[in-house]
């Protein structure tokens, strides 16, 4: 569980942020602040792992507040302005979100923070990659276990996640590239611009195709060498 606080001078934005945080199972919101000085008071009495931080606030801006912290936790900046992105990343923020923020983009930022958190904590389980992740489906966060995935199909702004023993795929609104970034690379391989497959589900590789039992999927030219490398062979 990651302890976090949210800082935004707009009450409605702060309430929305609280709602999003409440949907992420591994986050625990321990404080809400409308300015940097309230946040300083919280940090005097407790440690936090992650701060969700607005930039344009009265008194100290979010960036000034961040620069003032002697021991910085992870920070996800959430702002209406794109122009501070470079300055934010120069301060080693974990992610930079521009309002309005979709739930899918918010969860991706949280997953990135969780990955860093577990790496810093030296978790053996995480070094081998977590065994699940969450995707947004019908206004809810659905848990998907990596071991259950056979293959993933990209369809413009959506992806279909095909699961073992489930004839109906999970459909979520996100790019296949965005989903690929959340998968453990040792367990999944991109074989085509529209297809990612579970390495464990591959039963055969033949010419320009990969087989998952009776299902045949095409292998794109860009990905052929990495596919054949699975079998210790050259594609030439």
């Amino acid at each position: 569980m990651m302890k976090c606080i949210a800082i935004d001078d707009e009450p409605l934005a702060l309430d929305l942020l609280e709602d999003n945080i409440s949907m992420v199972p591994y986050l625990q919101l321990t404080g809400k602040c409308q300015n940097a000085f309230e946040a300083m008071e919280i940090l005097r009495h407790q440690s936090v792992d992650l701060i969700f931080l607005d930039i344009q606030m009265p008194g100290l801006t979010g960036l000034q507040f961040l620069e003032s912290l002697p021991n910085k936790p992870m920070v996800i900046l959430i702002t209406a302005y794109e122009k501070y992105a470079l300055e934010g990343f120069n301060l080693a923020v974990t992610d930079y979100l521009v309002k309005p923020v979709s739930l899918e983009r918010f969860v991706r930022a949280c997953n990135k923070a969780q990955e860093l958190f577990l790496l810093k904590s030296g978790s053996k389980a995480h070094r081998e990659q977590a065994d699940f992740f969450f995707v947004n489906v019908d206004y809810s966060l659905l848990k998907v276990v990596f071991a259950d995935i056979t293959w993933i199909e990209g369809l413009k702004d959506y992806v279909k996640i095909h699961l073992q023993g489930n004839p109906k795929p999970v459909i979520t609104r996100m790019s296949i590239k965005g989903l690929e970034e959340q998968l453990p690379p040792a367990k999944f391989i991109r074989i085509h611009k529209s297809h990612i497959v579970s390495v464990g589900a591959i039963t055969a590789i033949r010419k320009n195709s990969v087989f998952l039992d009776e299902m045949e999927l095409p292998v794109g030219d860009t990905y052929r060498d990495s596919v054949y490398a699975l079998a210790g062979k050259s594609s030439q």
Side-chain angles (χ1 to χ4, degrees), residues 159 175-182 190 196:
V159 294
S175 68
I176 193 168
K177 184 179 185 298
L179 180 56
E180 184 181 18
E181 292 172 353
Q182 299 188 48
R190 184 86 170 264
I196 299 171

Side-chain angles (χ1 to χ4, degrees), residues 7-11 14 33-40 53-66 81 84 99:
I7 311 171
D8 197 309
D9 64 316
E10 298 180 8
L14 196 56
C33 312
Q34 289 190 280
N35 58 64
F37 300 103
E38 291 179 11
M40 287 179 178
L53 179 62
D54 186 26
I55 291 180
Q56 291 285 23
M57 296 187 295
L60 281 180
T61 69
L63 295 177
Q64 290 170 336
F65 166 71
L66 182 55
Y81 305 94
Y84 300 108
K99 301 174 183 176

Side-chain angles (χ1 to χ4, degrees), residues 4-7 14 21 28-33 42 46 48:
C4 63
I5 61 173
I7 311 171
L14 196 56
I21 291 171
Q28 178 186 359
L29 183 64
T30 61
K32 292 169 54 180
C33 312
I42 289 178
Q46 63 173 285
V48 300

Side-chain angles (χ1 to χ4, degrees), residues 8-236:
D8 197 309
D9 64 316
E10 298 180 8
L12 289 177
L14 196 56
D15 289 342
L16 177 60
L17 187 51
E18 180 181 19
D19 287 342
N20 285 348
I21 291 171
S22 71
M23 297 181 68
V24 181
Y26 50 78
L27 292 182
Q28 178 186 359
L29 183 64
T30 61
K32 292 169 54 180
C33 312
Q34 289 190 280
N35 58 64
F37 300 103
E38 291 179 11
M40 287 179 178
E41 186 63 21
I42 289 178
L43 294 176
R44 283 184 56 210
H45 300 287
Q46 63 173 285
S47 61
V48 300
D49 304 303
L50 175 63
I51 297 175
F52 293 94
L53 179 62
D54 186 26
I55 291 180
Q56 291 285 23
M57 296 187 295
L60 281 180
T61 69
L63 295 177
Q64 290 170 336
F65 166 71
L66 182 55
E67 289 179 321
S68 74
L69 296 178
N71 299 307
K72 295 179 178 61
M74 290 181 293
V75 173
I76 294 176
L77 290 173
I78 303 182
T79 177
Y81 305 94
E82 296 182 3
K83 62 183 179 180
Y84 300 108
L86 179 59
E87 189 174 355
F89 283 113
N90 285 339
L91 291 171
V93 299
T94 301
D95 212 334
Y96 189 101
L97 306 182
V98 179
K99 301 174 183 176
V101 182
S102 69
L103 181 60
E104 178 266 328
R105 181 66 181 90
F106 181 81
V107 171
R108 281 171 52 197
C110 294
N111 285 345
K112 183 178 180 181
Q114 187 198 34
E115 181 177 354
L116 292 172
F117 173 74
L118 291 173
L119 283 172
K120 289 177 181 177
S121 70
S123 166
K124 180 180 179 181
H126 183 74
R127 286 199 302 268
E128 297 172 353
Q129 294 288 342
D131 61 358
F132 65 89
F133 69 129
F134 288 85
V135 294
N136 185 29
V137 178
D138 296 332
Y139 305 102
S140 299
L141 287 171
L142 179 69
K143 180 180 180 181
V144 177
V145 178
F146 292 137
D148 292 341
I149 300 173
T150 54
W151 66 290
I152 297 162
E153 179 182 6
L155 300 168
K156 293 186 178 179
D157 296 331
Y158 292 84
V159 294
K160 288 184 177 181
I161 305 173
H162 298 266
L163 306 174
Q164 295 180 25
N166 191 341
K168 186 177 180 181
V170 171
I171 301 176
T172 185
R173 184 180 177 87
M174 65 187 306
S175 68
I176 193 168
K177 184 179 185 298
L179 180 56
E180 184 181 18
E181 292 172 353
Q182 299 188 48
L183 299 172
K187 297 178 181 178
F188 293 89
I189 184 169
R190 184 86 170 264
I191 66 167
H192 187 274
K193 66 179 181 180
S194 301
H195 298 136
I196 299 171
V197 300
S198 165
V199 173
I202 296 174
T203 54
I205 301 171
R206 186 184 308 161
K207 293 184 179 179
N208 298 320
S209 300
V210 158
F211 288 82
L212 313 179
D213 291 325
E214 300 301 317
M215 177 172 292
E216 181 179 2
L217 295 174
V219 175
D221 292 343
T222 304
Y223 307 97
R224 187 175 296 113
D225 287 345
S226 57
V227 169
Y228 273 81
L230 286 175
K233 305 291 183 179
S234 170
S235 62
Q236 303 301 320

